[in-house]
């Protein structure tokens, strides 16, 4: 017979075992994932547009900054209405980026550098130039049901869309098709018809897309716009939100209770998880993109998403948020992560303003520091590691449909072009991005001083901070320690990670725009003397300096990590 004590010990042993096993198979845990926007990373052909061979030539940079994986935004055949997020062929490379051989070379080199490769999976829609859509218009089986088709509503003898649903890029989400004599639904641009997941054959098709890339050595996917996947089949009008201040054409005026976050979406995610799990080799990672409530977000873990992307740094917190608001949002999120699952922190991406612009250049390093010291995965957008800023793009230069469709009065609040300009490698022609002086989006004029080559030489730079941060992710207290978020005095945010027998790791961020003196030792229960591990570029705090934590002088908007 087993004694109670032995029994407990055994259970303890089993739990310990499986937790450890998880950490060892889930290679992405406590690591950095680096997002590449391929049009803007590196041009190898001189046409002013980035490409696969360009990425391959710069993989050393991604290894150098200590990322574990790169996620590449769409590289598939596309008319580029939404710059690759409108796909005509899900299993081939657009000639602008290269071909499948170039992709294989990229994967081979990435693996040799110890980097995993993730692709963007765009399941919600295809391009209207996709052969499936052409066949759907002609009602050729099984394609006739691959999209969301509805009859017109006839009001006083005139044809109208079936309901009031609005597309994310302005205007009705319904487009009339003369040939089929029906409307089709598009959550995004007119050129991005939504796929119909009530049709099982369609999902089989998409599972084959996953298998195609898994067979080509891909280690996982970021799933695009997942919460838009399925629509309520009653096609009812969505309720209007009062006083948004937005024009009636803007999707922000509607409560998306019928077009987003539908329950059956999660079941589809699970079917894809099964495809990933059936793939041999290292465990495959699934990142899901949904700008949604915390309840809907957490639900994705149950259906096989490893990293339901956490957008709090873009959506909930902004430059004027207080330290207390940061504490609340971070605690709330961490307390909701299911047992055994990993948190994640998205610092920037191709859909939002640059972090250095959202929070200001002085605070460009802060969010990456928070994303590093907190448990989980830090997701970094290319260019943010050197503190790239939004470029000013005129109405005439604007190409993003989110900007173009909003018109000249409003485009600068909706266009994503400013955060998508080419990577600033050095101070040569077109910032070393291309040999062409004309690039698909204009190079930021600050490239002469703000570029990677300069930051490698500078005594303090965003690049150097980031390198320290990716190394810090491996510290025992940061991997496995306890986490406390503390508001230190007035408007200073403190985060402390502790692990018995190991060095504490402490982050302090001054949210005030003035010098602030704090007794962090008392507020945070940390040793009286600690060393500066890294500090925000504009703070002028010296790395390696020994600090009395009972009286720290924090320069305006400075952030510092102590060990
Ligand atoms: C996602 C992408 C965005 C794209 C949209 C439609 O939000 O990140 O760039 O426009 O989906 O595919
Ligand atoms: Ca959809």
């Amino acid at each position: 017979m087993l004694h109670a004590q032995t029994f407990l010990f055994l259970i303890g042993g089993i739990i310990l075992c499986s937790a450890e096993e998880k950490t060892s198979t889930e290679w992405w845990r406590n690591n950095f994932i680096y997002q590449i926007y391929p049009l803007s990373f590196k041009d190898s052909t001189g046409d002013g547009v980035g490409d696969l061979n360009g990425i391959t030539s710069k993989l050393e940079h991604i290894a150098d900054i200590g990322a574990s994986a790169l996620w590449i935004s769409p590289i598939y055949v596309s008319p580029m209405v939404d710059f690759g997020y409108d796909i005509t062929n899900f299993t081939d490379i657009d000639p602008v980026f290269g071909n499948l051989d170039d992709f294989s070379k990229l994967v081979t080199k990435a693996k040799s550098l110890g980097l995993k490769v993730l692709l963007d999976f765009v399941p919600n829609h295809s391009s209207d130039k996709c052969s499936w859509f052409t066949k759907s218009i002609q009602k050729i089986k099984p394609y006739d049901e691959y999209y969301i088709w509805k009859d017109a509503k006839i009001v006083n003898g005139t044809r109208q869309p079936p309901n009031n649903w609005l597309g994310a890029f302005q205007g009705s989400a319904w487009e009339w098709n003369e040939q089929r004599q029906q409307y089709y639904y598009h959550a995004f641009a007119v050129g991005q018809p939504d796929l119909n997941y009530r049709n099982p054959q369609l999902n089989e098709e998409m599972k084959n897309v996953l298998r195609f890339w898994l067979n080509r050595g891909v280690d996982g996917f970021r799933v695009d716009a997942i919460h838009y996947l399925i629509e309520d089949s009653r096609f009812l009008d969505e309720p209007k939100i009062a006083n948004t201040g937005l024009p009636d054409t803007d999707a922000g005026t509607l409560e998306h209770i019928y077009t987003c976050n539908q329950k059956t979406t999660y079941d589809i995610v699970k079917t894809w998880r099964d495809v990933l799990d059936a793939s041999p080799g290292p465990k495959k990672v699934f990142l899901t993109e949904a700008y949604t409530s915390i309840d809907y977000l957490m639900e994705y873990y149950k259906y096989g998403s490893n990293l339901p992307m956490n957008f709090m740094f873009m959506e909930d917190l902004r430059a004027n948020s207080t330290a207390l608001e940061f504490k609340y949002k971070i605690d709330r999120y961490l307390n909701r992560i299911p047992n055994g699952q990993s948190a994640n922190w998205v610092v920037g991406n191709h859909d939002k303003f640059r972090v250095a612009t959202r929070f200001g250049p002085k605070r460009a390093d802060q969010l990456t520091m928070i994303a590093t010291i907190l448990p989980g995965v830090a997701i970094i957008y290319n260019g943010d590691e050197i503190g790239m800023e939004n470029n000013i793009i005129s109405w005439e230069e604007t190409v993003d449909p989110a900007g173009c469709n909003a018109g000249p009065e409003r485009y600068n609040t909706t266009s994503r072009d400013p955060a998508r300009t080419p990577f600033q490698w050095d101070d040569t022609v077109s910032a070393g991005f291309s040999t062409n002086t004309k690039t698909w989006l204009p190079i930021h004029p600050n490239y002469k001083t703000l570029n990677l080559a300069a930051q490698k030489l500078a005594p303090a730079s965003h690049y150097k901070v980031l390198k320290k941060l990716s190394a810090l992710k491996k510290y025992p207290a940061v991997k496995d320690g306890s986490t406390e978020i503390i508001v230190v005095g007035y408007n200073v945010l403190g985060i402390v990670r502790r692990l018995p027998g190991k060095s504490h790791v402490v982050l302090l961020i001054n949210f005030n725009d003035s010098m602030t003196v704090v007794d962090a030792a008392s507020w945070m229960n940390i040793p009286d003397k600690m060393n500066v591990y890294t500090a925000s570029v504009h703070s002028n705090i010296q790395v390696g300096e020994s600090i009395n934590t009972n009286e720290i002088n924090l320069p305006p908007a400075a952030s510092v990590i102590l060990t």
Side-chain angles (χ1 to χ4, degrees):
M1 210 182 88
L2 281 174
H3 286 291
Q5 235 175 341
T6 327
F7 185 65
L8 278 179
F9 175 76
L10 277 178
I11 294 185
I14 290 163
I15 290 170
L16 197 73
C17 220
S18 70
E20 261 171 17
E21 198 193 311
K22 243 191 143 135
T23 328
S24 64
T25 57
E26 298 193 344
W27 53 263
W28 54 87
R29 287 201 175 232
N30 295 302
N31 263 313
F32 275 51
I33 294 179
Y34 184 77
Q35 180 192 356
I36 291 186
Y37 195 66
L39 291 163
S40 292
F41 197 58
K42 173 71 186 170
D43 171 20
S44 73
T45 59
D47 64 354
V49 183
D51 47 57
L52 291 181
N53 288 337
I55 297 173
T56 307
S57 73
K58 293 293 187 185
L59 287 172
E60 284 86 355
H61 168 64
I62 303 166
D64 173 50
I65 58 174
S68 64
L70 51 142
W71 143 38
I72 314 174
S73 279
I75 48 177
Y76 320 108
V77 184
S78 166
M80 301 286 164
V81 165
D82 191 17
F83 301 98
Y85 284 94
D86 50 319
I87 300 168
T88 47
N89 185 346
F90 289 84
T91 53
D92 204 356
I93 306 285
D94 195 281
V96 104
F97 296 122
N99 56 41
L100 283 168
D101 285 341
D102 298 331
F103 182 70
S104 295
K105 284 184 208 134
L106 186 158
V107 171
T108 307
K109 184 170 167 192
K111 303 259 150 125
S112 76
L113 292 167
L115 294 167
K116 301 273 198 280
V117 178
L118 315 179
L119 287 182
D120 217 306
F121 177 51
V122 187
N124 181 64
H125 42 264
S126 74
S127 160
D128 63 345
K129 304 289 180 291
C130 177
S131 65
W132 300 347
F133 190 66
T134 316
K135 290 178 194 158
S136 197
I137 294 176
Q138 299 167 51
K139 295 201 179 170
I140 298 172
K141 286 206 179 316
Y143 306 99
D144 57 337
E145 289 181 6
Y146 273 25
Y147 297 86
I148 320 278
W149 292 101
K150 284 295 275 178
D151 289 336
K153 198 163 75 179
I154 304 296
V155 182
N156 299 329
T158 60
R159 188 182 68 216
Q160 284 190 5
N163 62 30
N164 75 343
W165 295 356
L166 294 169
F169 300 150
Q170 308 293 320
S172 173
W174 296 97
E175 183 73 8
W176 177 251
N177 183 271
E178 223 18 74
Q179 204 179 335
R180 187 162 155 151
Q181 289 287 304
Q182 277 187 312
Y183 280 94
Y184 69 86
Y185 172 68
H186 56 91
F188 294 91
V190 173
Q192 292 168 298
D194 270 50
L195 291 162
N196 175 20
Y197 281 85
R198 293 211 161 77
N199 181 299
Q201 261 159 301
L202 184 261
N203 195 33
E204 282 311 309
E205 202 103 54
M206 295 312 277
K207 287 200 268 187
N208 286 334
V209 170
L210 293 173
R211 292 184 185 111
F212 179 91
W213 294 109
L214 287 167
N215 290 337
R216 273 162 184 75
V218 160
D219 300 288
F221 300 89
R222 173 264 192 186
V223 187
D224 183 70
I226 185 64
H227 56 311
Y228 285 94
L229 200 72
I230 292 185
E231 299 74 36
D232 188 298
S233 55
R234 293 169 296 168
F235 294 95
L236 303 171
D237 277 357
E238 289 191 326
K240 264 188 137 2
I241 306 171
N243 307 324
T244 57
L246 296 168
D248 286 346
T249 51
D250 197 297
T253 58
L254 296 179
E255 221 181 303
H256 300 300
I257 57 172
Y258 300 130
T259 53
C260 289
N261 306 311
Q262 301 302 300
K263 258 184 118 49
T264 38
T265 295
Y266 295 97
D267 302 325
I268 301 282
V269 173
K270 178 66 176 63
T271 68
W272 301 333
R273 174 80 250 170
D274 294 341
V275 172
L276 264 62
D277 287 345
S279 165
K283 193 161 175 180
K284 306 299 179 294
V285 70
F286 235 163
L287 287 73
T288 42
E289 185 218 22
Y291 289 87
T292 191
S293 71
I294 194 156
D295 292 330
Y296 287 129
L297 193 72
M298 292 299 157
E299 199 68 8
Y300 285 102
Y301 282 113
K302 294 188 202 153
Y303 294 83
S305 171
N306 307 104
L307 303 170
M309 292 170 110
N310 163 17
F311 295 118
M312 77 164 67
F313 295 155
M314 295 159 172
E315 292 288 285
D316 304 347
L317 298 165
R318 47 205 87 242
N320 61 4
S321 300
T322 61
L324 191 63
E325 281 162 339
F326 266 72
K327 172 179 164 54
Y328 167 65
K329 290 286 154 82
I330 294 169
D331 276 339
R332 182 180 75 145
Y333 172 75
L334 283 176
N335 291 335
R336 293 288 304 271
I337 303 280
N339 253 339
Q341 296 285 6
S342 170
N344 73 85
W345 314 91
V346 181
V347 176
N349 67 27
H350 64 296
D351 291 327
K352 302 287 169 187
F353 284 177
R354 287 267 176 199
V355 56
T357 301
R358 297 196 319 269
F359 284 80
K362 268 199 268 180
R363 301 179 62 183
D365 304 307
Q366 286 180 2
L367 296 192
T368 320
M369 286 187 178
I370 301 176
T372 301
I373 194 172
L374 287 172
V377 179
I379 305 173
I380 310 294
Y381 177 49
N382 61 197
D384 284 349
E385 76 273 35
I386 54 170
M388 274 179 64
E389 294 163 19
N390 271 13
N391 197 359
I392 296 169
I393 310 283
S394 69
W395 166 244
E396 288 70 29
E397 292 166 324
T398 296
V399 292
D400 177 21
C404 295
N405 296 354
E409 301 302 317
R410 285 211 308 142
Y411 81 99
N412 53 6
T413 61
T414 58
S415 173
R416 299 165 297 178
D417 293 334
R420 294 178 173 180
T421 62
F423 193 98
Q424 294 162 209
W425 294 101
D426 56 39
D427 65 1
T428 64
V429 175
S430 288
F433 162 72
S434 174
T435 51
N436 202 321
T437 49
K438 197 163 166 27
T439 53
W440 81 284
L441 279 175
I443 308 273
H444 198 299
N446 68 7
Y447 80 95
K448 285 273 175 199
T449 50
L450 199 165
N451 62 64
L452 177 66
Q455 295 199 9
K456 284 189 170 177
L457 296 175
S461 68
H462 302 297
Y463 160 79
K464 288 194 171 163
V465 170
L466 191 94
K467 277 195 74 152
K468 295 282 296 214
L469 293 178
S470 58
L472 190 73
K473 268 280 183 217
K474 310 277 177 300
Y475 272 47
V478 171
K479 277 171 68 182
D480 300 315
S482 64
T483 306
E484 285 156 80
I485 326 281
I486 300 158
V487 178
V488 181
Y490 177 71
N491 222 9
V492 170
L493 185 73
I495 300 180
V496 54
R497 305 291 311 275
R498 309 176 206 269
L499 192 66
K502 303 286 174 193
S503 163
H504 294 48
V505 180
V506 169
L507 169 64
L508 287 165
I509 299 180
N510 184 5
F511 277 61
N512 303 306
D513 215 10
S514 52
M515 177 71 84
T516 305
V517 185
V518 291
D519 174 6
S522 301
W523 283 96
M524 301 176 80
N525 186 23
I526 54 174
D528 285 344
K529 272 209 181 304
M530 294 188 81
N531 293 316
V532 175
Y533 176 81
T534 187
S536 52
V537 173
H538 295 269
S539 70
N540 288 322
I541 299 174
Q542 294 310 307
V543 172
E545 194 185 328
S546 167
I547 296 259
N548 289 325
T549 59
N550 43 27
E551 197 181 348
I552 307 182
N553 291 299
L554 291 170
S559 43
V560 56
I561 291 183
L562 309 173
T563 52

